Amino acid sequence: MSRLARIAVAMLCLFPCAASFAEEPVRVFAAASLTNVLTEIASQWHERGHPAPRLAFGGTATLARQLAAGAPADIFAAADGRWMDVLEQQGKLETGTRMDLLGNELVLIAPRGRTFRVELRPGFPFARAFVGKLCVGEPGVVPAGTYARQALESLQWWNSLQGRIVGTDDVRSALAFVERGECAAGVVYATDAAVSDKVVVIARFSPQSHAPIVYPVALLRNASPRGQDFLAYLASKAAATTFRRHGFVPLSAGH
């Protein structure tokens, strides 16, 4: 083989390596309630010829703290704006990329086969309507728990439940406690209840009973070039169709 041919072969070997480097997977930190829908959307992205995104799910507060401490990620999808505000104030977000992506609904659930009657009005003796614990995300930390407390306070039920409320690390953990029957009731997002055949929705809280449920999403500083592409896909009509099918309400422009 001539020297020129050897150089050509070497260059051909280098190009796939460079392409592989440029196509590094997008790293996404996302609220636990987005687990099912983002996993599906990530598969769609992969089917379009991109590397499968690396998804890390957890409580919004936990993920935000990890990002604040320098955890590497390209995109953060939170379950409320408060923790996104914290990262924005710390200069962790890429300017101009933050947007309100989704909305959701808050529901009261019980284990299947162990439902009870409830009326969503002040004066209804909710604490006497069931025996056992009420599971919610940790109020003041987990967004779903904060919304839950607001809703229960608006109905004047919160104080009567003291000592019976179990705060969890994220909303999916609250769902799991109710699925196992360890909690007699729980307050979760409608989209979480929809993924389980072990719980039943027994009431839906009025949107006026709590702050608007909004999922903001943003690009992190020093994100990979693919991060912007995936963020744009999350705001696309194709992704909106998947979000709606999972029960979310797309909010961003273009939907």
Side-chain angles (χ1 to χ4, degrees):
M1 181 183 293
S2 68
R3 181 172 179 274
L4 185 58
R6 287 197 300 270
I7 293 174
V9 171
M11 291 298 291
L12 287 173
C13 292
L14 285 174
F15 283 134
C17 296
S20 176
F21 178 78
E23 289 280 335
E24 287 186 353
V26 176
R27 301 160 298 178
V28 181
F29 275 31
S33 52
L34 293 169
T35 299
N36 295 70
V37 68
L38 277 192
T39 298
E40 182 173 337
I41 287 175
S43 295
Q44 295 170 359
W45 181 251
H46 186 42
E47 289 170 0
R48 289 171 177 249
H50 306 283
R54 294 175 182 168
L55 307 176
F57 298 104
T60 291
T62 299
L63 296 176
R65 291 182 182 124
Q66 291 173 359
L67 292 169
D74 300 302
I75 292 173
F76 181 40
D80 77 347
R82 185 164 55 102
W83 290 102
M84 193 69 85
D85 290 342
V86 170
L87 293 177
E88 191 165 27
Q89 291 162 7
Q90 294 177 352
K92 298 292 185 179
L93 306 184
E94 190 65 43
T95 304
T97 64
R98 176 176 174 173
M99 61 180 163
D100 290 339
L101 185 66
L102 302 168
N104 210 330
E105 186 181 8
L106 202 65
V107 299
L108 179 69
I109 60 172
R112 185 170 294 278
R114 292 172 51 186
T115 60
F116 54 90
R117 188 181 71 85
V118 63
E119 297 176 18
L120 293 184
R121 59 174 177 81
F124 179 79
F126 181 63
R128 298 202 300 271
F130 67 101
V131 176
K133 302 289 186 179
L134 174 72
C135 272
V136 302
E138 185 63 47
V141 178
V142 177
T146 299
Y147 297 132
R149 177 168 183 165
Q150 292 170 352
L152 294 171
E153 286 181 336
S154 76
L155 292 165
Q156 301 172 18
W157 293 352
W158 179 259
N159 290 337
S160 66
L161 294 167
Q162 295 307 300
R164 297 174 62 188
I165 294 174
V166 176
T168 62
D169 291 338
D170 57 58
V171 69
R172 284 299 174 91
S173 297
L175 175 68
F177 272 105
V178 180
E179 285 181 324
R180 296 193 297 265
E182 296 176 33
C183 282
V187 180
V188 300
Y189 298 125
T191 51
D192 294 302
V195 302
S196 175
D197 60 1
K198 298 178 181 178
V199 303
V200 174
V201 173
I202 57 176
R204 295 178 182 272
F205 292 96
S206 165
Q208 286 70 45
S209 69
H210 54 79
I213 299 174
V214 176
Y215 289 71
V217 62
L219 203 65
L220 279 298
R221 288 282 190 185
N222 302 316
S224 70
R226 292 294 176 186
Q228 183 65 61
D229 294 338
F230 189 63
L231 183 64
Y233 184 69
L234 292 177
S236 70
K237 290 183 178 180
T241 298
T242 304
F243 283 128
R244 287 193 186 94
R245 182 157 41 77
H246 282 259
F248 291 93
V249 179
L251 301 177
S252 62
H255 287 167

